[in-house]
Amino acid sequence: MLVVILCLVIAVILFVIKYEQYTMRKKDKQLLWLDTVPGYPFIGNLFEFHGPRETLNDLRHLHATYGKTMLIRAPLQRMILSCDYDFLEFVLSSPKILDKSGEYKFLHRWLGTGLLTSDGPKWKTRRKLLTPSFHFSILQKFVASFESNGNILVEKLRTVQGKDINIYQYITLYTLDIICESAMGVSVNAQEVEDSQYVKNVKFLCRRINERATTFYERPDLLYRLSPNYYREKKAVKQIHNFTYSVIDSRIKTLQNSTNDQNNTEGKAVPFLDMLLKSTVDGRPLTREEIREEVDTFMFEGHDTAGSAISFALYLLASHQDVQDHALEEQKTIFCKDIHRPSTYNDLQQMKYLECVIKETLRLYPSVPFYGRKTDQPVIYKGNVMPEDIDIAVIAYELQRDPKYFPNPDKFDPTRFETMDGTNPYCFIPFSAGPRNCIGQKFAMLEMKSALSKILRAFRLLPTVPEHQLKLTSEAVLKSYNGIYIRVLKRTF
Ligand code: HEM
């Protein structure tokens, strides 16, 4: 009996391997022009990846061994990994490669197919609908929200000055409060309320999505449903959706009940939710579910990214006193004698050096270190075919450390952005590039400037002793898994 079962198992395995080879044969032939990472039948290169904490190291190792562009294989999936300038310029600017790679399906349970995860005509319609929400005349009204939440942040930091603190824990709650106010028009008071279930769920899901993407036995939906993590994820998603729906419903009521007078929003920031509630697609309003998808998408994409960038910038400023002094001089010039006054939109526009600091931070520590696309039709690149349904991973983290474009690439040197002439616009792509770039980049830049300016004026930033060493990991967003520790000391002028 045992022998029969064993034979059956072997037969099934052989069948699956043959089936995979048969289905992928044509694609593999068409992709012979690429360097292919040697792997095993069926499972391909899954063993090249050693879990979420090691993904960046694994990618670095693969690029060092196989060059800037290579093909890797997973069951029924072919993916091109690239940090090559020409190839990525082609991919990101192509109107034919706009769909998202297979990995994004891990976000679907939470985000549905909102702007980040949708493809084809749905994405085009949504992008057109949402783009006006990021017009500068709308964005400048959010400066007040950056300011009030920044004041809470500074108060929180005052209570821990002189101690070694994991700055990321403070910053990420600040950016979460801001995105809640901006996207939904409600405050979750993440900075004030400890142990908020909503905050816990958002944090849990951000981590879970990447863990799943890099754990081979959790990738197939069928196997994932057998694991306890599936139920944890389902529960967290349900709680988040319930919260988002309750906010949507109460906002609908408020808008219905408000008199014209109360509805007068002149000068006030209008949350993205209100715009969604007032929008129509093909002559009909968006459904509750469609609105929820977008609100949840903004919550996901809009807080951790900026939180990571601000935290890394503070870490770099703490360990580069010359850069910090330069940035502070600029603040003094802008704020003159009233150094602690609230910053205005115009002030933020004037912070040119701080902008270089942020860009240099995003070059070294891009919040989204890699992202994915997929071909939905055969595409020709330099005479070679990329067949339909091929995933492409854009490794921004590696490209932005290429010495060809950034001499002495590991050096933190914001001035390189003062002299960059735009000859190679695709060598700096923290917000992606082309038609599917980050819709929130101007919002993010204002928010990051506002936070850094406020903290710089309130505190002197110092490294810990001994200086904390980052251990980078990508949980969809770049983090340091041992924290981002610095010290802050009240600044006196
Ligand atoms: C430092 C801050 C940020 C960075 C580095 C960043 C980076 C990116 C990147 C690399 C993408 C492309 C992702 C992909 O192709 O899969 C993206 C897309 C997106 N980002 Fe951001 N982002 C930031 C802040 C924000 C903020 C604050 C918002 C919202 C207010 C936002 C909303 C979005 C949305 C909705 C998309 C999808 C756009 C589309 O596919 O059309 N991002 N972002």
Side-chain angles (χ1 to χ4, degrees):
M1 185 64 183
L2 202 66
V3 176
V4 176
I5 293 174
L6 205 66
C7 288
L8 265 175
V9 171
I10 293 172
V12 169
I13 292 174
L14 287 176
F15 172 78
V16 172
I17 292 175
K18 280 284 158 208
Y19 174 77
E20 209 267 350
Q21 281 173 344
Y22 175 76
T23 332
M24 302 308 278
R25 189 176 347 181
K26 191 170 165 210
K27 278 185 190 161
D28 285 340
K29 266 195 188 153
Q30 287 174 315
L31 289 167
L32 281 174
W33 57 278
L34 285 161
D35 285 329
T36 304
V37 179
Y40 297 97
F42 187 63
I43 57 166
N45 305 110
L46 286 179
F47 289 138
E48 295 291 341
F49 293 92
H50 303 92
R53 287 197 170 172
E54 293 303 320
T55 312
L56 283 174
N57 283 337
D58 293 336
L59 288 171
R60 178 145 275 199
H61 169 74
L62 284 171
H63 283 301
T65 317
Y66 300 100
K68 289 186 179 175
T69 303
M70 73 199 77
L71 180 71
I72 59 165
R73 293 176 299 124
L76 295 170
Q77 189 185 15
R78 298 296 180 261
M79 180 181 269
I80 301 174
L81 296 184
S82 183
C83 62
D84 177 70
Y85 184 94
D86 290 346
F87 183 73
L88 294 184
E89 176 177 25
F90 172 79
V91 169
L92 294 174
S93 59
S94 167
K96 290 184 182 166
I97 314 177
L98 292 174
D99 287 358
K100 291 297 173 78
S101 62
E103 270 58 33
Y104 288 71
K105 71 171 187 272
F106 302 130
L107 286 162
H108 285 184
R109 198 164 281 119
W110 175 15
L111 308 183
T113 45
L115 191 62
L116 178 72
T117 41
S118 54
D119 292 330
K122 180 170 178 181
W123 169 75
K124 273 201 183 118
T125 319
R126 292 287 173 91
R127 181 83 188 199
K128 217 168 134 195
L129 186 82
L130 288 163
T131 298
S133 312
F134 289 89
H135 189 267
F136 85 95
S137 60
I138 292 178
L139 294 186
Q140 50 183 312
K141 295 182 186 159
F142 288 113
V143 172
S145 165
F146 304 157
E147 195 56 42
S148 57
N149 285 300
N151 288 337
I152 301 173
L153 174 64
V154 165
E155 283 315 309
K156 290 273 160 197
L157 292 179
R158 267 197 229 293
T159 62
V160 287
Q161 59 172 321
K163 296 182 184 155
D164 291 357
I165 51 164
N166 181 4
I167 194 72
Y168 171 77
Q169 283 179 350
Y170 293 86
I171 301 296
T172 188
L173 296 179
Y174 157 82
T175 53
L176 193 54
D177 271 343
I178 286 177
I179 200 68
C180 276
E181 280 182 24
S182 322
M184 302 194 274
V186 295
S187 182
V188 288
N189 294 322
Q191 295 191 87
E192 309 271 29
V193 181
E194 274 174 34
D195 256 17
S196 147
Q197 193 55 43
Y198 182 76
V199 174
K200 273 197 213 158
N201 283 332
V202 170
K203 300 260 154 240
F204 169 74
L205 286 179
C206 289
R207 220 177 34 245
R208 181 87 287 277
I209 274 131
N210 192 50
E211 278 168 5
R212 185 177 172 199
T214 51
T215 310
F216 72 91
Y217 53 85
E218 288 193 333
R219 286 172 65 95
D221 226 33
L222 210 66
L223 286 183
Y224 188 50
R225 279 167 189 269
L226 302 176
S227 92
N229 281 331
Y230 167 75
Y231 292 95
R232 285 188 202 121
E233 180 184 324
K234 208 171 143 190
K235 191 174 158 203
V237 166
K238 194 167 173 221
Q239 288 175 346
I240 288 195
H241 285 176
N242 285 344
F243 178 76
T244 314
Y245 276 133
S246 72
V247 174
I248 294 172
D249 292 342
S250 96
R251 200 72 199 152
I252 292 174
K253 273 198 196 125
T254 312
L255 290 179
Q256 279 168 350
N257 295 337
S258 60
T259 61
N260 279 348
D261 212 27
Q262 286 166 317
N263 226 352
N264 181 4
T265 52
E266 207 180 314
K268 287 190 209 149
V270 180
F272 301 124
L273 171 58
D274 283 16
M275 301 194 209
L276 292 166
L277 287 167
K278 288 172 189 164
S279 303
T280 51
V281 172
D282 301 330
R284 63 160 181 88
L286 295 173
T287 63
R288 264 172 105 235
E289 194 188 344
E290 286 170 331
I291 294 176
R292 195 216 71 220
E293 283 179 344
E294 296 306 347
V295 171
D296 285 340
T297 295
F298 279 61
M299 293 303 306
F300 167 69
E301 188 62 35
H303 92 277
D304 223 7
T305 45
S308 151
I310 298 168
S311 306
F312 282 115
L314 291 168
Y315 174 84
L316 288 166
L317 286 166
S319 48
H320 296 81
Q321 291 298 317
D322 51 334
V323 177
Q324 189 180 152
D325 291 345
H326 192 155
L328 183 69
E329 279 315 306
E330 183 183 67
Q331 296 297 311
K332 285 185 188 162
T333 313
I334 293 170
F335 291 89
C336 301
K337 291 208 173 82
D338 201 359
I339 196 80
H340 294 300
R341 74 167 165 78
S343 46
T344 63
Y345 180 75
N346 279 346
D347 295 329
L348 300 177
Q349 295 302 99
Q350 284 180 54
M351 296 177 189
K352 300 288 178 213
Y353 184 72
L354 194 60
E355 185 163 322
C356 293
V357 170
I358 293 169
K359 285 183 174 167
E360 179 68 344
T361 303
L362 284 170
R363 181 185 73 79
L364 286 169
Y365 301 108
S367 311
V368 190
F370 44 83
Y371 35 89
R373 294 286 172 86
K374 187 177 70 184
T375 53
D376 67 346
Q377 55 187 298
V379 185
I380 307 293
Y381 172 69
K382 292 190 176 171
N384 300 304
V385 182
M386 274 191 279
E388 185 184 339
D389 215 11
I390 296 299
D391 288 337
I392 299 164
V394 177
I395 318 293
Y397 181 85
E398 288 288 309
L399 170 62
Q400 294 180 171
R401 288 174 184 246
D402 187 333
K404 184 169 171 199
Y405 306 103
F406 299 101
N408 203 356
D410 294 332
K411 184 171 181 224
F412 176 59
D413 177 10
T415 56
R416 59 173 104 226
F417 281 93
E418 288 174 342
T419 47
M420 235 167 105
D421 59 6
T423 324
N424 298 304
Y426 287 82
C427 66
F428 177 65
I429 48 171
F431 294 104
S432 186
R436 220 162 167 180
N437 67 351
C438 173
I439 199 171
Q441 63 180 291
K442 290 205 180 101
F443 178 100
M445 195 48 99
L446 287 175
E447 179 186 8
M448 292 187 286
K449 279 184 179 173
S450 174
L452 290 172
S453 155
K454 204 168 242 315
I455 295 173
L456 265 174
R457 286 177 285 138
F459 301 104
R460 192 168 159 221
L461 310 168
L462 295 167
T464 58
V465 183
E467 192 170 324
H468 180 71
Q469 299 302 311
L470 301 172
K471 294 201 185 301
L472 297 183
T473 178
S474 171
E475 293 178 2
V477 168
L478 191 71
K479 311 259 169 76
S480 171
Y481 64 79
N482 59 343
I484 303 181
Y485 280 87
I486 59 166
R487 281 182 195 174
V488 297
L489 283 185
K490 187 169 184 270
R491 206 182 269 288
T492 42
F493 289 93

